Amino acid sequence: MPGSRAVLISVPNVSEGRDQAKLDRLAQAFAPVCWSSDADHNRAVFTLTGGPGQLHQQVLAGARVLLEEIDLTHHQGLHPRVGALDVAPIVYLDPEDRGAATAEALVLADELGRLGIPVYLYGDLAGGRTRAELRKPGGLAGFTPDFGPHDLHPTAGATLVTARPPLVAFNVEIDAPLATAKEIALKLRSDLDVRALGLQLSTTTQVSTNIEDHTRTTMADVVAAVRAHATVTGAELVAPAPRAAHEGFPEDVPLRGPAPLEDHLSS
């Protein structure tokens, strides 16, 4: 069958980044190829790989544990969120696998709904509706869930699901005040067409970005744009990015994070 041998990726983002015991239990359930967490954002990102019909089961295994471990009513963190399992995209590397990824995402959304979590589709599966639209104050109230109950789960909130190509979650640290980070983020959104926020972390100021098309904008492009306005002290990848997104990255900027995505698929 066409697409039956596709290798798909899921990148569930979880609203927990501080309790190591909980994170370890979640990692055991999700069985990721790699994962990272951040205490300021109070968030963890797990990277899973699998085939059609199998990958959504891994996400569900983590979601079941997450329902026991995370109470969103007690959550505090810098990152915008709508749920304990905030987003759970299914990612395809080859455009030919888009159909397989879409089917896997819809099955996942339906199964999460059966767990009692309302699911809102975004991106191509929702006519281009964005995560930002859904995450803004009162944003969910303007839409009906695509799967699951109409009311938010009392402790887990809601989950956002889509099928998409790889996204590069990339943060740049600067030696500048928060106001400067916010100004830079605004310029990045207009000049490079990336999603960006200026944030004050406990130890540094950060320009947090999502590069949604790494074939048009690389991490090096983002660093260069940030450097035009502030001193860059470091950078981090939240999850594996395609090797092409690393092209031309400046050697004088320390980069933390996992190896390129292709390395995890071949391991």
Side-chain angles (χ1 to χ4, degrees), residues 11-107:
V11 195
N13 286 219
V14 171
S15 295
E16 174 57 67
R18 298 172 182 170
D19 188 319
Q20 190 60 49
K22 288 183 179 181
L23 289 168
D24 288 343
R25 288 191 287 271
L26 288 166
Q28 185 174 9
F30 278 122
V33 295
C34 66
W35 63 280
S36 66
S37 63
D38 182 271
D40 288 300
H41 291 267
N42 202 3
R43 192 175 183 87
V45 178
F46 298 87
T47 301
L48 325 179
T49 64
Q54 177 262 325
L55 184 58
H56 76 275
Q57 296 286 357
Q58 278 184 255
V59 181
L60 287 171
R64 292 187 184 100
V65 173
L66 177 149
L67 286 172
E68 300 173 359
E69 298 284 359
I70 300 177
D71 184 347
L72 203 65
T73 63
H74 297 138
H75 184 277
Q76 292 182 331
L78 290 176
H79 202 289
R81 61 203 172 274
V82 298
L85 177 59
D86 188 52
V87 292
I90 301 295
V91 179
Y92 55 92
L93 291 177
D94 189 330
E96 292 185 359
D97 295 332
R98 178 181 176 181
T102 296
E104 196 74 5
L106 294 175
V107 171

Side-chain angles (χ1 to χ4, degrees), residues 187-195 210 212 216-217:
K187 279 198 66 69
L188 293 180
R189 291 196 295 268
S190 62
D191 295 351
L192 293 184
D193 193 26
V194 301
R195 301 197 178 278
N210 281 340
E212 297 193 330
R216 294 174 51 193
T217 303

Side-chain angles (χ1 to χ4, degrees), residues 197-253:
L197 293 171
L199 301 171
Q200 184 62 59
L201 277 60
S202 58
T203 58
T204 189
T205 308
Q206 185 183 86
V207 180
S208 177
T209 74
N210 281 340
I211 304 170
E212 297 193 330
D213 185 352
H214 69 276
T215 65
R216 294 174 51 193
T217 303
T218 64
M219 296 187 295
D221 295 330
V222 171
V223 170
V226 173
R227 269 183 158 167
H229 305 281
T231 300
V232 172
T233 59
E236 70 169 341
L237 270 170
V238 177
R243 186 168 283 105
H246 292 254
E247 185 176 344
F249 194 83
E251 294 183 1
D252 61 335
V253 175

Side-chain angles (χ1 to χ4, degrees), residues 89-92 94-95 97-99 101-103 105-106 120-131 133-134 146-147 160-167 195 212-213:
I90 301 295
V91 179
Y92 55 92
D94 189 330
D97 295 332
R98 178 181 176 181
T102 296
L106 294 175
Y120 295 79
L121 301 177
Y122 70 96
D124 289 346
L125 299 191
R129 182 170 69 192
T130 67
R131 288 160 294 157
E133 286 179 77
L134 294 164
D146 297 285
F147 295 88
L160 310 182
V161 171
T162 196
R164 61 163 175 79
L167 173 153
R195 301 197 178 278
E212 297 193 330
D213 185 352

